[in-house]
Amino acid sequence: MKNLVKGFILILAIMSVTSNNAQEHKKVSVKVMEKEPEITAYRLMNNPDGTCAFEKGTIPSLKHMNTASFWYSNKTEEWEKNAHPAPRKQYVITVKGKIRFKVSDGSTFIIEPGVVLLAEDLKGKGHSWDMVDSDVWERLYIPITENSDDLFMPESK
């Protein structure tokens, strides 16, 4: 009988501690994300006259994108630095390096790890680029499947 009473007291003690911990847990505040995280991005695009322009914006984080393949490159040929249109609608993700892109009117922007380039300037003279403080540009090319949303959201002006 003594052991039964001791066991009962032990169970009550454990339940009391658990109950106190549960009550303390209720005091934890949870902050709701007001907006999904976004990644800085630049979009290269064609103007109606065939020249190339860019706009700054974002793409959402953790969204599935419609792609079929991808490839990695760390090779750079001199012709690539001259003005050229994008060969396809694609994301270009810089893994290593810092690149200054230039469009038709002479405007420039910098791409570096953490910033996504969306190449959509498929016609005309296109864009040019040069490396900044580096002689290596490692990047991942991710073509966007035809008729798919690129998920780009222009920056508010």
Side-chain angles (χ1 to χ4, degrees), residues 16-35:
S16 174
V17 169
T18 304
S19 175
N20 287 341
N21 286 343
Q23 288 174 357
E24 286 179 24
H25 182 69
K26 289 179 185 176
K27 295 176 188 174
V28 174
S29 64
V30 176
K31 186 175 181 180
V32 176
M33 287 181 60
E34 295 174 13
K35 192 175 178 185

Side-chain angles (χ1 to χ4, degrees), residues 50-63:
T51 58
C52 178
F54 73 88
E55 63 182 332
K56 186 176 181 182
T58 59
I59 59 170
S61 179
L62 301 174
K63 284 269 187 172

Side-chain angles (χ1 to χ4, degrees), residues 37-152:
E38 298 171 340
I39 300 167
T40 300
Y42 285 88
R43 175 168 44 189
L44 291 168
M45 58 195 176
N46 288 117
N47 291 319
D49 65 358
T51 58
C52 178
F54 73 88
E55 63 182 332
K56 186 176 181 182
T58 59
I59 59 170
S61 179
L62 301 174
K63 284 269 187 172
H64 289 263
M65 299 173 178
N66 292 318
T67 64
S69 64
F70 68 91
W71 59 94
Y72 192 87
S73 179
N74 60 1
K75 181 180 175 185
T76 302
E77 296 187 29
E78 282 305 309
W79 70 265
E80 292 177 290
K81 296 180 183 180
N82 298 322
H84 64 281
R88 71 199 63 76
K89 187 175 173 180
Q90 64 189 356
Y91 298 103
V92 181
I93 312 299
T94 296
V95 177
K96 182 178 181 183
K98 190 173 184 180
I99 309 302
R100 178 183 301 111
F101 280 81
K102 184 177 178 181
V103 295
S104 300
D105 70 359
S107 300
T108 63
F109 62 94
I110 301 285
I111 294 291
E112 56 192 335
V115 177
V116 173
L117 174 66
L118 175 55
E120 292 185 349
D121 60 328
L122 306 177
K123 299 176 183 172
K125 290 185 179 179
H127 59 275
S128 62
W129 56 265
D130 59 282
M131 293 184 212
V132 178
D133 302 328
S134 175
D135 58 354
V136 175
W137 182 25
E138 295 181 17
R139 64 239 182 241
L140 184 66
Y141 291 101
I142 308 172
I144 300 168
T145 55
E146 197 170 333
N147 300 320
S148 293
D149 185 356
D150 60 24
L151 304 177
F152 182 84

